[in-house]
Amino acid sequence: MTIQYERPVSHAAHWARRLALFSCLLFIAVVLSHRFGPLTTPHFLVLAGFAAAMAGLALLLAAFGLVRLWQIGARGGKASFMALLLSLLPLGVAGAAAYSYFYNPALYDVTTDAAMPPPWLAVPAVQQDWLPRSSVVTQRDREVQLEAYPGLSGRRYEGALDRVYQGVRKVATAYGITITVEDGLDNILADLEDLVVDPAKTARSAELASEVPIPEARPLETPLTPRIGGPGDVLLQGEWRSPVFGFRFDVVIRLREEAETTLVDMRAASRYGSHDLGMGARMVEGYLKALDAELLGIAGD
C-alpha cells in the first residue's frame, strides 16, 4: 500500500497576494488620478490610506503564510513573497508620509521673510473638505518656522530689477511654477523703455523743444485699484504642483529694489490641510538655488 503525502495549501498566502495586487493597482490609479485627473487632495488621501490599509492586511496574511510554510510546509511561499513585493509601494509611501508628518513641524505656509511676508495678490480660497485649517498664520507659526528652517532666507542680487525679473520668470517656468497674476510691473516697464531709443523721437527732439507745450489733464493722485505691497515691489503669484503626487501649492515671489540691489523673497502655502510635510520649504529652497544658478555672477553677499 502506497501512501501519498499531499502538502496543505495556505489560503492566507493566496489571499495576501490578491489583496496586495488590489492595493497596489488602486494606489497607482489614485496617484495618476490626483496628478493628472480631477481627484482632489482630500479624496486622494482617503483612497491612498485605504490602499495602504489593504496592503497592511496583505502583509499580515503573507507573514502568516510564511509561518505555515515553515511549520508544516504549506503551499503558498511564492504567493506570500509576491504579496510582500506588491505591498512595498503603498506601505513605503505611507511610511515616508508618516515620517515627514512627525519629523517636520505642522506648518502649511512658509516664507523667506517671517517679519514681513510677501502678500497675496489673490488670497487662496479652497474648499478644505475634511482637512480644516486656520486661515490666519500666527506669529507663533513664524517662530516655529524659524526654528525648523533657519536657513530659509531670501536673496540679494547686485543687479537691476528688470534683469532679476527676467531670471525669476525663466526659473519659475523651468521649475514648474505657473504665474497667474502680477503686480508692480510699471517700474520694470519704465526701465525697459529707457533702454530703447526711438529714431523718430530723436529726429524730432529739436522740433519739440521749440514747440509750446499744451497743458493736459493732471493724472489721478491715487490709482483706482489699491496697490498691494510696497511702492517699489514687484509681486508674482502662481501655482506649483509637486512632481510625483501633484500636491498643489500657491506661491508668491516678491522683488524689491534697494540701494542698487534687488531683494527676492518667496512664500509658499499648501492648499489643503494644516501640514505640508515639509514640501513647501524644500520647494522654496530648490527654487532659490536654481535662481542663484541662473543669476550667477550678480549675487550679493
Side-chain angles (χ1 to χ4, degrees), residues 17-283:
R17 182 175 56 187
R18 297 187 186 102
L19 287 177
L21 179 60
F22 170 77
S23 65
C24 186
L25 294 178
L26 175 62
F27 185 80
I28 294 175
V30 167
V31 170
L32 294 178
S33 299
H34 182 258
R35 182 65 181 86
F36 303 104
L39 190 65
T40 61
T41 299
H43 296 91
F44 164 77
L45 294 179
V46 171
L47 294 175
F50 177 75
M54 292 295 99
L57 179 59
L59 184 65
L60 294 177
L61 293 176
F64 182 76
L66 291 176
V67 170
R68 296 291 291 173
L69 172 64
W70 177 262
Q71 290 178 344
I72 61 175
R75 294 179 181 272
K78 293 181 180 179
S80 297
F81 181 73
M82 184 61 65
L84 294 177
L85 291 180
L86 293 173
S87 301
L88 286 179
L89 178 60
L91 288 180
V93 173
Y99 174 80
S100 299
Y101 183 87
F102 292 105
Y103 178 77
N104 296 287
L107 298 172
Y108 72 90
D109 189 312
V110 295
T111 178
T112 59
D113 189 352
M116 297 182 61
W120 299 108
L121 294 175
V123 180
V126 182
Q127 183 64 35
Q128 297 296 308
D129 205 353
W130 63 274
L131 294 173
R133 73 180 183 196
S134 175
S135 59
V136 178
V137 181
T138 63
Q139 183 61 31
R140 176 57 184 167
D141 294 332
R142 296 305 183 196
E143 294 174 357
V144 171
Q145 177 199 316
L146 291 176
E147 296 175 0
Y149 311 113
L152 193 64
S153 60
R155 298 291 195 271
R156 181 188 296 272
Y157 299 101
E158 296 178 353
L161 189 63
D162 57 335
R163 170 69 178 90
V164 178
Y165 170 79
Q166 293 174 1
V168 166
R169 286 300 304 257
K170 181 178 179 181
V171 175
T173 302
Y175 206 75
I177 300 176
T178 303
I179 302 299
T180 56
V181 60
E182 298 176 320
D183 186 44
L185 299 182
D186 48 352
N187 297 326
I188 299 177
L189 295 177
D191 294 340
L192 294 177
E193 289 175 357
D194 292 340
L195 299 177
V196 179
V197 178
D198 191 347
K201 292 182 179 179
T202 304
R204 295 190 57 191
S205 59
E207 300 178 2
L208 294 177
S210 61
E211 294 180 358
V212 178
I214 300 176
E216 297 180 354
R218 184 177 182 180
L220 296 174
E221 295 292 338
T222 57
L224 296 178
T225 57
R227 182 178 179 83
I228 300 176
D233 293 351
V234 176
L235 297 174
L236 301 88
Q237 182 171 332
E239 174 187 335
W240 177 81
R241 302 192 68 180
S242 60
V244 179
F245 297 102
F247 293 110
R248 297 177 182 270
F249 282 77
D250 291 292
V251 181
V252 60
I253 305 172
R254 181 180 65 196
L255 285 71
R256 175 176 293 174
E257 200 168 22
E258 183 178 288
E260 298 182 354
T261 63
T262 301
L263 301 177
V264 178
D265 284 292
M266 198 170 178
R267 181 179 182 182
S270 63
R271 287 193 176 180
Y272 297 94
S274 59
H275 204 307
D276 65 357
L277 305 181
M279 289 187 291
R282 291 193 294 270
M283 186 271 292

